[in-house]
Amino acid sequence: MSEIPYFITLEEALEICNQTQIHTTIERVDLDESHGRILATDLPSLVNDPPFDNSSMDGYAMRFEDTQDAPSTLEIIGTIQAAGQSDNLVVGQGQAVRIMTGAPMPKGADSILQIELTSSDGKTVTLQQPSMKHFVRKKGENLEEGQISLYSGTHLTPSKVGLCATMGHKSVAVVKKLKVAIISTGDELKQPGEKLNHGEIYESNSFGLAGLIKWLGHEPIRMHSVGDSLEGLRNVLNEASETCDLILTSGGVSMGEWDLVRKIMEEEGDVHFWRIKIRPGSPPLFGVWNNTPLFGLPGNPVSSHVVFRMLVAPWIRNTTQATGPTEQRAVAKLATKVKSSEDCLTFRRVSIEVTNKGLIAHQKIHQGSGNIASMALSDALVMLQPGQQYSIGDLVDIIFF
Ligand code: AMP
Ligand code: MG
């Protein structure tokens, strides 16, 4: 045990984790299936966006020079509501075409005036003011054909999936989802819905961790939880390593005699480090079981969540070469006294108030690492540097979750 790195910083831990990598593969999925996935290639646009000059307003199209002496009255020579209808129309001097938003500009016209600033008797239109050239959306002004706007590693958010479609892609190459086994350990754990006997609690970590895996674009496999038995643990770890790419356990990694994940990993697996200098969440270990990377996360619900966000998620992004998703970071002013720690990077759960003087961080909820409500009902983590004191009014780094 002596040569295994022990109680190291978060950065050191991440560096060690990054030396172990998963071989990822690529698959092609239809856009409908691409939400939340990680793009696996750079994506060039197959078309210009927009593909043709068009109107950004419902109104009239005309020659700008005919409208400078407003009010001006022009002859209406036709209507363009959609593609195809502009083909035979040429706007000459003193003429205008009725046009709808998104419809192609007729030849000869270089400007638009929105309908609200016009009046019409059906044959002519009178403009209250000069027309505007910037209401014409120019071909390729958003994206030129061949231009790359999404890069490999991008997390596909709804607007990015929309961008894929705009660029003409019907399907995209994405990183194949990692299968991530989640194993809860502890004799005291019961499934929600079951009756609790004295001394028992509901197993909650696997549900939260499954959501975090999905957030990263991968596939959680919630295995049945195991009691504190080496035999049961060995069986489920073997099953997980045969069917999954990565194993997350929760519980059983502290100093106690019944902390069997630590024990079995030390005796039968391969531990790369144990314990990190963060609070909450100092107990985790990382290693390999049967060729499968394994994070032994703490049992306390807040701890397992924080360790996932600060250690597991960055490693998964690293091994899949993903640039997202990541939490948004910001700076906030402390409204409550918060407690840092001498040797650990400390994360407190805070509510964030948005004011015209910036963000204000309030610590409202009891901060026990067993109190998942302190995560669930807060907005962000404040990140407190080891050995540093913080007072009300200080600016602190925050991480939204
Ligand atoms: P352990 O690390 O196994 O000693 O667990 C630390 C604390 O977390 C104990 O209070 C456990 O009951 C609790 N705990 C462990 N696993 C879970 C879980 N899956 N869901 C909720 N609480 C848990
Ligand atoms: Mg336990």
Side-chain angles (χ1 to χ4, degrees):
M1 186 67 209
S2 56
E3 71 279 15
I4 294 171
Y6 175 78
F7 202 41
I8 56 180
T9 65
L10 186 58
E11 291 72 32
E12 288 164 340
L14 196 53
E15 209 166 287
I16 291 175
C17 295
N18 285 346
Q19 286 162 16
T20 301
Q21 294 280 322
I22 293 178
H23 177 73
T24 53
T25 51
I26 292 174
E27 64 181 352
R28 186 160 273 282
V29 296
D30 286 345
L31 279 196
D32 268 330
E33 305 305 319
S34 70
H35 289 278
R37 303 293 297 272
I38 305 302
L39 193 62
T41 57
D42 293 349
L43 216 56
S45 185
L46 303 178
V47 292
N48 289 300
D49 173 40
F52 49 87
D53 290 2
N54 69 87
S55 173
S56 70
M57 289 285 164
D58 289 330
Y60 292 86
M62 67 291 288
R63 297 156 18 126
F64 174 70
E65 58 184 281
D66 293 349
T67 70
Q68 280 169 308
D69 302 322
S72 46
T73 297
L74 306 172
E75 176 201 358
I76 301 171
I77 60 162
T79 298
I80 305 174
Q81 178 259 324
Q85 296 169 344
S86 63
D87 298 356
N88 304 319
L89 284 172
V90 181
V91 177
Q93 189 178 7
Q95 295 182 326
V97 161
R98 230 158 72 84
I99 194 164
M100 307 306 149
T101 304
M105 286 293 286
K107 289 188 201 75
D110 61 359
S111 59
I112 298 285
L113 195 64
Q114 66 264 50
I115 196 141
E116 302 90 300
L117 299 177
T118 68
S119 55
S120 171
D121 60 8
K123 290 201 172 95
T124 63
V125 56
T126 300
L127 315 186
Q128 294 166 19
Q129 63 165 68
S131 59
M132 310 227 229
K133 291 189 173 179
H134 69 261
F135 287 152
V136 181
R137 301 166 175 157
K138 301 298 262 181
K139 171 178 170 177
E141 74 177 12
N142 301 331
L143 271 181
E144 282 179 20
E145 185 179 334
Q147 186 181 335
I148 291 171
S149 62
L150 292 175
Y151 290 87
S152 182
T154 298
H155 173 242
L156 291 172
T157 58
S159 61
K160 288 183 173 119
V161 173
L163 179 55
C164 294
T166 299
M167 295 195 293
H169 295 279
K170 143 182 201 291
S171 63
V172 284
V174 294
V175 174
K176 196 155 191 271
K177 287 184 183 179
L178 299 181
K179 278 185 158 180
V180 184
I182 304 172
I183 301 166
S184 298
T185 70
D187 284 337
E188 74 282 24
L189 303 178
K190 277 278 178 73
Q191 288 302 305
E194 291 178 357
K195 185 176 175 302
L196 289 185
N197 296 313
H198 180 67
E200 294 175 338
I201 60 166
Y202 289 124
E203 193 283 295
S204 64
N205 288 348
S206 70
F207 295 94
L209 292 170
L212 288 164
I213 292 294
K214 284 187 184 174
W215 168 64
L216 290 174
H218 300 289
E219 183 185 354
I221 314 276
R222 287 181 46 253
M223 316 282 287
H224 53 93
S225 49
V226 289
D228 293 314
S229 109
L230 277 178
E231 169 88 20
L233 195 51
R234 189 181 297 114
N235 289 339
V236 72
L237 288 177
N238 284 338
E239 187 188 335
S241 64
E242 276 154 25
T243 52
C244 294
D245 302 300
L246 169 66
I247 302 172
L248 306 181
T249 61
S250 85
V253 285
S254 300
M255 312 281 201
E257 198 182 327
W258 292 105
D259 287 322
L260 298 182
V261 173
R262 178 180 52 79
K263 196 163 176 177
I264 202 168
M265 282 297 289
E266 279 169 14
E267 289 172 2
E268 302 174 34
D270 185 7
V271 179
H272 294 191
F273 70 77
W274 177 38
R275 302 197 69 216
I276 52 180
K277 292 180 180 172
I278 67 170
R279 188 174 288 179
S282 62
L285 64 76
F286 176 76
V288 172
W289 178 273
N290 201 7
N291 290 321
T292 308
L294 178 149
F295 286 89
L297 303 179
N300 276 309
V302 177
S303 308
S304 68
H305 200 107
V306 167
V307 173
F308 186 97
R309 286 194 180 264
M310 302 316 297
L311 183 70
V312 183
W315 177 79
I316 289 180
R317 284 191 292 265
N318 178 279
T319 200
T320 56
Q321 297 184 10
T323 51
T326 53
E327 295 87 357
Q328 199 184 344
R329 295 187 178 223
V331 168
K333 197 176 260 192
L334 279 176
T336 322
K337 184 105 182 84
V338 291
K339 212 166 135 235
S340 54
S341 119
E342 207 39 60
D343 50 0
C344 289
L345 184 63
T346 303
F347 299 94
R348 300 284 173 196
R349 281 75 70 201
V350 290
S351 299
I352 298 296
E353 182 192 356
V354 181
T355 76
N356 57 14
K357 293 201 179 74
L359 303 177
I360 313 285
H362 303 263
Q363 181 185 295
K364 291 183 174 168
I365 302 179
H366 163 60
Q367 297 283 300
S369 60
N371 182 17
I372 189 65
S374 71
M375 285 294 293
L377 307 181
S378 298
D379 304 311
L381 297 169
V382 292
M383 198 158 65
L384 308 172
Q385 296 301 325
Q388 206 169 309
Q389 299 297 314
Y390 294 84
S391 311
I392 290 174
D394 283 354
L395 289 176
V396 284
D397 293 319
I398 61 167
I399 303 169
F400 284 99
F401 51 75

